[in-house]
């Protein structure tokens, strides 16, 4: 074996060792990164869980009754109560209101919020309000217990019997069970008999 062959042999051996060290270092770095990410992920989950447990109380099948001048009942599939116990975030809420003339108003939504300080309720997403044979749908609604008023400024549609009505903005006064659609009102009536001037339609 001449000098050149010996030199080439040493060079190949050094390259092989360097490759082995590089592969080993890469494996160590990969394992370390994975372990660190797992540890940080677990710590983050623990921290987030601690935050939730410290800031809110989760309740399944939440039920609440308003002690106001005109009591109403609230049910929700689940609820998150704030640590101050004055705000409740609702899942699939259903509220039953009692009108001043004995009628019942049923309000449901995808989600909502209850302010226990003033007994106000808000509904968000697929909001439905049923009163007698009428059904109102909108995206958001807010109820003020002080005013005994449910209202929205968003588009509203109403269906009942032979009537289809759409508009923007609605106010529902519970005291006299009066509903007002505020703007851009459009209505369709089907199978309605004509009446004399000054008489009410047979609805």
């Amino acid at each position: 074996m001449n000098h050149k062959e010996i030199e080439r042999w040493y060079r190949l051996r050094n390259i092989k060792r360097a490759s082995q060290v590089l592969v080993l270092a890469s494996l160590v770095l990969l394992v370390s990164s994975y372990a660190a990410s797992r540890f940080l992920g677990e710590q983050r989950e623990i921290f987030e869980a601690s935050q939730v447990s410290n800031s809110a109380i989760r309740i399944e099948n939440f039920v609440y009754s308003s002690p106001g001048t005109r009591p109403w009942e609230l049910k929700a599939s689940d609820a998150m109560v704030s640590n101050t116990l004055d705000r409740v975030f609702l899942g699939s809420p259903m509220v039953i209101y009692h009108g001043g003339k004995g009628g019942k108003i049923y309000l449901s939504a995808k989600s909502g919020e209850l302010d226990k300080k003033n007994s106000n309720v808000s509904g968000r997403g697929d909001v439905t309000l049923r009163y007698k044979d009428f059904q109102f749908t909108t995206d958001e609604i807010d109820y003020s217990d002080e005013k005994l008023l449910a209202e929205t400024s968003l588009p509203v549609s109403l269906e009942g019997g032979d009537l289809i009505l759409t508009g923007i903005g609605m106010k529902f006064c519970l005291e006299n069970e009066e509903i007002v659609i505020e703007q851009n009102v459009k209505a369709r009536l089907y199978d309605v008999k004509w009446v004399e001037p000054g008489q009410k339609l047979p609805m």
Side-chain angles (χ1 to χ4, degrees):
M1 182 179 291
N2 57 34
H3 177 72
K4 288 185 178 180
E5 290 177 344
I6 294 173
E7 183 178 349
R8 186 175 62 180
W9 182 79
Y10 274 107
R11 187 179 302 152
L12 290 174
R13 189 181 67 173
N14 291 337
I15 291 174
K16 185 177 180 181
R17 285 182 177 177
S19 300
Q20 291 174 342
V21 170
L22 183 60
V23 170
L24 181 61
S26 299
L27 286 173
V28 170
L29 181 61
L30 182 63
V31 171
S32 300
S33 299
Y34 176 74
S37 65
R38 285 291 302 273
F39 175 76
L40 292 175
E42 289 174 358
Q43 291 297 108
R44 182 167 57 251
E45 288 176 2
I46 293 171
F47 176 71
E48 289 175 353
S50 175
Q51 275 192 322
V52 170
S53 62
N54 289 334
S55 64
I57 303 169
R58 184 179 179 84
I59 300 175
E60 298 289 337
N61 300 317
F62 179 79
V63 178
Y64 177 82
S65 296
S66 167
T69 56
R70 193 166 295 286
W72 45 265
E73 299 83 44
L74 164 65
K75 294 181 180 179
S77 60
D78 59 90
M80 294 291 288
V81 184
S82 66
N83 59 347
T84 56
L85 304 180
D86 58 353
R87 301 189 79 83
V88 184
F89 304 95
L90 308 165
S92 302
M94 161 71 91
V95 190
I96 303 176
Y97 295 103
H98 302 274
K101 297 181 179 180
K104 286 187 178 181
I105 300 94
Y106 300 87
L107 172 65
S108 61
K110 276 189 174 180
S111 63
E113 185 175 338
L114 165 65
D115 187 340
K116 293 181 67 177
K117 285 184 178 179
N118 48 32
S119 293
N120 290 350
V121 178
S122 63
R124 301 288 180 267
D126 293 340
V127 176
T128 300
L129 192 149
R130 290 185 291 114
Y131 171 69
K132 295 185 178 180
D133 295 329
F134 299 99
Q135 178 172 293
F136 300 83
T137 55
T138 185
D139 288 330
E140 296 181 4
I141 199 163
D142 296 293
Y143 171 73
S144 169
D145 199 53
E146 180 182 0
K147 299 177 181 178
L148 296 176
L149 182 70
E151 60 183 329
T152 181
S153 59
L154 299 181
V156 178
S157 65
L158 177 153
E159 292 187 16
D162 297 319
L163 170 67
I164 297 177
L165 184 148
T166 59
I168 298 177
M170 178 189 73
K171 290 184 178 180
F172 193 131
C173 179
L174 268 67
E175 187 62 34
N176 53 17
E177 300 181 18
E178 180 182 72
I179 304 167
V180 176
I181 307 296
E182 298 187 301
Q183 301 177 34
N184 299 343
V185 178
K186 297 179 181 179
R188 294 181 181 179
L189 298 174
Y190 301 91
D191 300 326
V192 176
K193 296 180 181 179
W194 292 102
V195 298
E196 296 296 328
Q199 294 181 337
K200 292 184 178 180
L201 291 174
M203 297 173 59

